[in-house]
Amino acid sequence: MSEQQPPHQHTSHQSHGHQHGHHFGHQHAHHSESSNIALAFWLNFGFALIEIVGGILTNSVAIIADAIHDLGDSLAIGFAWVASKIATRQPTQKYSYGYRRWSLLSALISGLILLVGSGWVLSEAIPRLWQPQLPHTGGMFVLAIFGIAVNGAAVLRLRRGKTQNEKVLSWHLLEDVLGWVAVMLGAILMYFTGWAWLDPVLCIGFTLFILFNILKSLRQTLALFLQVTPDPALQQQITTELNALEFVKAVHHLHLWSLDGEQHVLTMHVELTADAALAEQLHYKQRIAQLLAPYSLSHTTVEFELSGEICRDA
């Protein structure tokens, strides 16, 4: 049930009545992730094909580089699109947390595709530094204006997304926009100066910029895969707040990890200061649920240990 809750709705302790009203919100969030990604895919794929032709016709390595990069993006986005569809499925016996981690897998594969693409582009552009060829600057300029418009539209759609998947993709597209701005400025400069070396320099410049961001996002994605705490400060804050409750003696085995960078899971053992009747324990659970509510956790598990009880995970 928790799987359909919107990102800002928590509490595995709450009644189903509370959760029902939020069901639509979460479905809507997933639907918008999927449709945002679909739009980005078609824009990018169609545009990459136009660019390859344009790059060959204008004899510009910067445009061909961008075309390959866009084609890599399209593959990455296509994969992300499929993964975001899978990610909305209901939990099953086998996938008890649901399919949110598929979206994370696609972020990883997208990053790897782009790494390979960027490497190829550099291998093409670097030799051109020694044998520059002047491209057709007018054609470059027209393609660049078109590129800024198409990728800009896609960025605006994906910027609103919250998942790691949408963040990685909006980075790809923002890089494309910046790449096109560089191509446009380069075309203007080459038109007036005839500096043919600007073409490969531009190409190498924005490929290195892309590589830097891809490595950064790959690092975050890998950390989530390895179930690193998504937010150590948050984990510390929750622990401190729990320890401050008068009925809590100690908290241990507290694990905070993330399904997809957005939906977090929290489990813990709470030692009680004194033995408590069931009605009292229920009250304690409600207090803990209130304390955790602001943190928008998707799944929470709280186990009470009574005095003298030996922790079975010790």
Side-chain angles (χ1 to χ4, degrees):
M1 188 68 201
S2 325
E3 207 49 45
Q4 295 100 264
Q5 286 171 252
H8 299 300
Q9 175 60 14
H10 151 68
T11 70
S12 46
H13 307 298
Q14 273 186 1
S15 69
H16 292 303
H18 275 112
Q19 294 173 355
H20 188 71
H22 298 283
H23 182 92
F24 172 74
H26 208 45
Q27 295 289 55
H28 179 69
H30 288 323
H31 173 70
S32 73
E33 178 186 10
S34 185
S35 67
N36 282 350
I37 290 174
L39 173 86
F41 172 76
W42 290 115
L43 276 176
N44 243 36
F45 184 67
F47 193 58
L49 299 180
I50 294 169
E51 269 180 284
I52 289 172
V53 177
I56 293 165
L57 291 177
T58 57
N59 186 31
S60 164
V61 68
I63 286 182
I64 291 174
D66 216 279
I68 297 301
H69 177 216
D70 262 2
L71 214 59
D73 277 357
S74 304
L75 286 175
I77 292 169
F79 194 87
W81 185 17
V82 174
S84 75
K85 287 261 189 225
I86 295 173
T88 64
R89 288 186 193 167
Q90 299 304 305
T92 62
Q93 288 252 279
K94 194 173 172 187
Y95 282 86
S96 61
Y97 277 109
Y99 291 77
R100 290 306 296 169
R101 284 177 90 76
W102 279 84
S103 138
L104 204 57
L105 180 65
S106 91
L108 184 70
I109 290 179
S110 305
L112 295 174
I113 289 173
L114 278 160
L115 273 185
V116 174
S118 300
W120 184 84
V121 166
L122 285 176
S123 74
E124 287 294 301
I126 292 167
R128 277 246 188 159
L129 287 171
W130 289 274
Q131 295 152 329
Q133 301 164 18
L134 191 65
H136 184 286
T137 52
M140 277 181 81
F141 184 80
V142 173
L143 270 172
I145 295 292
F146 195 39
I148 291 167
V150 171
N151 288 301
V155 169
L156 292 175
R157 276 295 286 272
L158 285 171
R159 268 287 174 226
R160 296 201 289 267
K162 289 187 185 68
T163 60
Q164 185 70 12
N165 208 345
E166 285 171 293
K167 279 181 194 150
V168 170
L169 291 176
S170 73
W171 255 116
H172 293 352
L173 294 164
L174 184 64
E175 285 145 18
D176 287 348
V177 172
L178 296 176
W180 282 116
V181 170
V183 168
M184 183 182 71
L185 295 174
I188 295 168
L189 260 174
M190 278 185 277
Y191 176 74
F192 287 112
T193 63
W195 293 340
W197 53 266
L198 269 173
D199 190 42
V201 165
L202 271 175
C203 172
I204 292 163
F206 66 75
T207 304
L208 291 176
F209 171 73
I210 288 157
L211 274 173
F212 172 73
N213 286 306
I214 292 307
L215 289 170
K216 210 165 62 172
S217 73
L218 272 176
R219 226 182 74 202
Q220 289 171 338
T221 307
L222 275 173
L224 290 171
F225 260 116
L226 297 172
Q227 298 194 337
V228 170
T229 296
D231 188 341
L234 175 68
Q235 182 168 328
Q236 190 49 56
Q237 189 179 345
I238 291 174
T239 309
T240 308
E241 287 184 22
L242 285 166
N243 279 318
L245 295 169
E246 74 284 352
F247 55 85
V248 174
K249 180 181 176 184
V251 178
H252 57 270
H253 285 304
L254 185 137
H255 304 293
L256 177 68
W257 58 277
S258 191
L259 291 172
D260 63 351
E262 175 195 7
Q263 298 192 16
H264 299 340
V265 177
L266 178 72
T267 61
M268 61 180 126
H269 291 192
V270 176
E271 280 181 71
L272 299 179
T273 45
D275 289 349
L278 285 176
E280 226 176 335
Q281 286 187 32
L282 181 64
H283 169 66
Y284 293 166
K285 279 188 180 175
Q286 285 165 343
R287 290 275 302 280
I288 290 173
Q290 275 171 356
L291 184 150
L292 296 176
Y295 298 118
S296 326
L297 300 163
S298 290
H299 297 270
T300 55
T301 308
V302 180
E303 175 166 22
F304 285 157
E305 287 175 10
L306 305 174
S307 58
E309 185 180 344
I310 291 166
C311 174
R312 62 167 187 279
D313 293 340

